[in-house]
Every structure is written in C-alpha cells, then in structure tokens.
Amino acid sequence: MDDKMKYMNELEVIVNLFTIDKEDKMKKIRKKARNSIKEIARAVLTKDVLKTPAIQDKIETDASSLVGLYWQIRVNIIMQDAMVDSIAKGNMSPRMIEVFTNLSDKIASLEKQLLATQVQIRKNYIDYKSDIM
C-alpha cells in the first residue's frame, strides 16, 4: 500500500469517529426547549392567559431562542466526548488538553448563558402578566 492510500485510510477512520443525527437531535432539543418555556409560563400565568394566541406565539418564539443554545451545548459536549475517546485511545498531546479545557470553559459559559436567558424569559412573562392586569 502506498503512502497516499495509507493516509486516505487513516483519514477515513478519523472522519468516521462519530455521526450526529442532526434532525433527530434537533427535534428532541426543540421539544425540550418548548417544554422548558411552557413550564416557565405555567408558573407565572393563569390558564386563561396561557391559551391566548399571543402567549402561544411567544412560547414558540422563546423556545426557538433556546434551541440554539441547547444545540451549541450539545455539540460541544459531543466534541468533548470525542476528545476523551481519542485521548483514551492514545492520542495524547498538550494541544488536546488545551482544546479540552477550552471546550469545558465554552460549555460552562453556554450553560450560564442558557440560565440567564431562562431567567430573563421568566421576567418577561412576569412583566406580561403585570401588563394584562
């Protein structure tokens, strides 16, 4: 086997470390985001207000804003898991540790941003309730 073929085989192995079923993951993330927003809204608003088209639309809009954060967190965790698997298989280098640390920091930052967004969304529903009254 020549060097080019050997390189191509190694590259193929690297490319196939994992696959992501994005459609399935996004469907689950959308559902999680929608349920999260519904719980926030239920804690603040009455059943009658929850049924209004304006609130239903707001719930969908707020859920959409969370989807991107949930997706970024999920993808970063997948990449972090892949790095751990790679390191466990002997691919140890200072750069791998550096990137792993950066991913850990990024995940923590995204999770803080997610929590802050949820708190702000809750405040918005409280304000909306005050406006209605």
Side-chain angles (χ1 to χ4, degrees), residues 66 69 72 106 108-118:
L66 291 185
L69 287 170
Q72 287 180 46
K106 180 70 173 175
S109 174
L110 287 167
E111 287 174 344
K112 285 180 187 176
Q113 185 179 352
L114 175 64
L115 290 173
T117 301
Q118 288 175 325

Side-chain angles (χ1 to χ4, degrees), residues 43-101:
V44 176
L45 302 173
T46 64
K47 289 181 182 179
D48 291 340
V49 174
L50 281 170
K51 292 178 185 178
T52 64
I55 290 297
Q56 290 300 310
D57 186 52
K58 179 161 179 41
I59 288 171
E60 289 304 314
T61 301
D62 291 341
S64 292
S65 70
L66 291 185
V67 167
L69 287 170
Y70 280 130
W71 176 249
Q72 287 180 46
I73 291 167
R74 185 69 195 127
V75 169
N76 277 279
I77 290 170
I78 290 168
M79 291 303 297
Q80 192 178 48
D81 290 347
M83 289 186 71
V84 169
D85 289 344
S86 181
I87 290 169
K89 292 175 183 170
N91 187 14
M92 181 68 155
S93 72
R95 180 71 180 136
M96 290 287 277
I97 301 302
E98 179 185 347
V99 173
F100 179 85
T101 302

Side-chain angles (χ1 to χ4, degrees), residues 29-42:
I29 287 172
R30 278 191 289 278
K31 184 176 180 179
K32 180 179 179 177
R34 192 176 302 111
N35 287 339
S36 177
I37 296 300
K38 283 181 181 179
E39 287 302 315
I40 290 170
R42 279 189 204 115

